[in-house]
Amino acid sequence: MNHGIVCYGEILWDLLPSGPQPGGAPMNVAYQLHRLGKSPAMISRIGKDERGDELMKVLQNKGLNTKYIQIDEAVPTGIVKATQHPNGDMSYDIVSPSAWDHIVADDTTEALVKQAEYFVFGSLSARHATSRNTLFQLLELAHTKVLDINLRTPHFSRSLIESLLQYADILKLNIDELELVTSWYGSYNNTADRVSLLQDKFGIRHMIVTMGANGAQLHLNGQSYTHPGYKVPVTDTVGSGDAFLAAIISKTIDKAAPEAMLDFANRLAATITTYKGAMPDYDIKEVDSISH
């Protein structure tokens, strides 16, 4: 057991207009971390069914560790019905019940989380009491806790998000999510004020705000960094935010400078949008070749 990063939560099939693709934010992050030469592990749950078998094959073929993916005898493997809009953005119907709603903690998963430096989690994995209780149990054992907030209506509440934010050492969210969460506390004139509010209120030292085609911001150790992003021909945006987060974690481990970290994350996210689905086979040289 030697995994520096553990990703917790949903793994499923995205039923896209172009056909089914393996999905789920934690799996997407783990896949990209694996591509970047790190050694992630994933804690999730699938059904004992054809979709679950196919998901395991996909993960194994891509070289991901499946040891900590639980099998549910009663609840089916998760699916998401995805609809693509004319601007390339996606909307999602996250079907319930799903096996990943029923992740349980045991000695093996607890030991895994204790030995890892980073624990990556999102709010969607807390929509059901079973996986939510397991998540909070594991958060008590985790070291550096990375919250990829990933708000999906109607699968969150203010009280849940506030509970998760209390744990976050690193927070990643998009500009819409930032505006929604900070609106609970008042009105703010700009992004910087919104970021400061969350960092101060919840003691978050490292914050990432993604802004789609407009790039991203990194707020780290009292300093703010902005990148305009890279313009590329977009196939779909599925998994681009997950790739962005994986790049940030990878470069944090590598002790890269903040500017280099942010530039690489924008490059990787842009590369993923040129492909279908969140887990494409790509050459890392493609990431390096992107230019303004």
Side-chain angles (χ1 to χ4, degrees), residues 100-176:
W100 56 264
D101 285 318
H102 299 274
I103 304 168
V104 295
D106 56 25
D107 291 346
T108 309
T109 52
E110 289 181 2
L112 175 68
V113 171
K114 279 181 185 172
Q115 61 83 52
E117 178 58 32
Y118 293 88
F119 181 74
V120 183
F121 65 104
S123 55
L124 184 57
S125 64
R127 73 172 181 171
H128 186 280
T130 305
S131 282
R132 179 168 66 247
N133 292 341
T134 300
L135 173 59
F136 282 109
Q137 197 172 329
L138 296 177
L139 282 168
E140 293 295 333
L141 306 174
H143 296 285
T144 303
K145 295 169 279 292
V146 184
L147 172 55
D148 180 7
I149 209 162
N150 221 1
L151 299 182
R152 295 282 184 259
T153 305
H155 305 294
F156 70 91
S157 64
R158 174 174 171 173
S159 61
L160 171 64
I161 299 306
E162 288 176 330
S163 298
L164 295 174
L165 286 167
Q166 297 283 356
Y167 284 94
D169 298 305
I170 299 172
L171 171 64
K172 179 233 158 200
L173 73 181
N174 65 37
I175 190 72
D176 294 335

Side-chain angles (χ1 to χ4, degrees), residues 12-23 27 51 54-55 58 78-82 236 238 276-279:
L12 45 85
W13 285 100
D14 280 322
L15 306 184
L16 301 171
S18 56
Q21 291 278 356
M27 183 174 71
R51 281 191 170 121
E54 284 300 313
L55 208 42
V58 168
I79 57 170
V80 173
K81 295 173 182 173
D236 70 47
V238 179
K276 284 182 184 176
M279 298 172 62

Side-chain angles (χ1 to χ4, degrees), residues 18-270:
S18 56
Q21 291 278 356
M27 183 174 71
N28 299 340
V29 173
Y31 170 71
Q32 298 297 347
L33 285 164
H34 174 70
R35 292 300 299 258
L36 296 172
K38 306 308 177 195
S39 182
M42 222 169 11
I43 299 172
S44 191
R45 195 172 179 97
I46 57 173
K48 192 173 184 180
D49 51 31
E50 193 175 332
R51 281 191 170 121
D53 293 344
E54 284 300 313
L55 208 42
M56 288 294 253
K57 281 182 201 164
V58 168
L59 295 173
Q60 288 160 357
N61 287 341
K62 289 183 180 289
L64 284 165
N65 183 311
T66 57
K67 179 180 175 183
Y68 307 98
I69 296 174
Q70 303 164 8
I71 310 293
D72 197 300
E73 299 278 344
V75 184
T77 300
I79 57 170
V80 173
K81 295 173 182 173
T83 304
Q84 185 168 9
H85 301 285
N87 64 355
D89 286 344
M90 307 293 294
S91 62
Y92 305 92
D93 171 21
I94 305 163
V95 176
S96 182
S98 291
W100 56 264
D101 285 318
H102 299 274
I103 304 168
V104 295
D106 56 25
D107 291 346
T108 309
T109 52
E110 289 181 2
L112 175 68
V113 171
K114 279 181 185 172
Q115 61 83 52
E117 178 58 32
Y118 293 88
F119 181 74
V120 183
F121 65 104
S123 55
L124 184 57
S125 64
R127 73 172 181 171
H128 186 280
T130 305
S131 282
R132 179 168 66 247
N133 292 341
T134 300
L135 173 59
F136 282 109
Q137 197 172 329
L138 296 177
L139 282 168
E140 293 295 333
L141 306 174
H143 296 285
T144 303
K145 295 169 279 292
V146 184
L147 172 55
D148 180 7
I149 209 162
N150 221 1
L151 299 182
R152 295 282 184 259
T153 305
H155 305 294
F156 70 91
S157 64
R158 174 174 171 173
S159 61
L160 171 64
I161 299 306
E162 288 176 330
S163 298
L164 295 174
L165 286 167
Q166 297 283 356
Y167 284 94
D169 298 305
I170 299 172
L171 171 64
K172 179 233 158 200
L173 73 181
N174 65 37
I175 190 72
D176 294 335
E177 291 166 337
L178 176 67
E179 290 175 1
L180 173 61
V181 173
T182 53
S183 73
W184 298 336
Y185 309 108
S187 58
Y188 300 88
N189 294 326
N190 54 56
T191 302
D193 289 347
R194 294 174 189 276
V195 168
S196 294
L197 166 84
L198 292 186
Q199 287 191 303
D200 294 344
K201 186 174 182 64
F202 295 101
I204 300 166
R205 57 185 171 81
H206 188 159
M207 200 160 147
I208 304 133
V209 181
T210 58
M211 301 181 291
N214 298 315
Q217 296 179 359
L218 178 63
H219 303 270
L220 178 63
N221 301 326
Q223 298 292 316
S224 296
Y225 307 87
T226 301
H227 193 288
Y230 290 95
K231 301 294 183 275
V232 294
V234 174
T235 300
D236 70 47
T237 59
V238 179
S240 57
D242 304 324
F244 190 99
L245 178 60
I248 292 287
I249 295 169
S250 177
K251 290 299 182 184
T252 300
I253 292 168
D254 295 344
K255 297 183 166 50
E259 296 90 344
M261 194 184 296
L262 193 53
D263 180 68
F264 180 75
N266 274 279
R267 286 174 181 275
L268 182 57

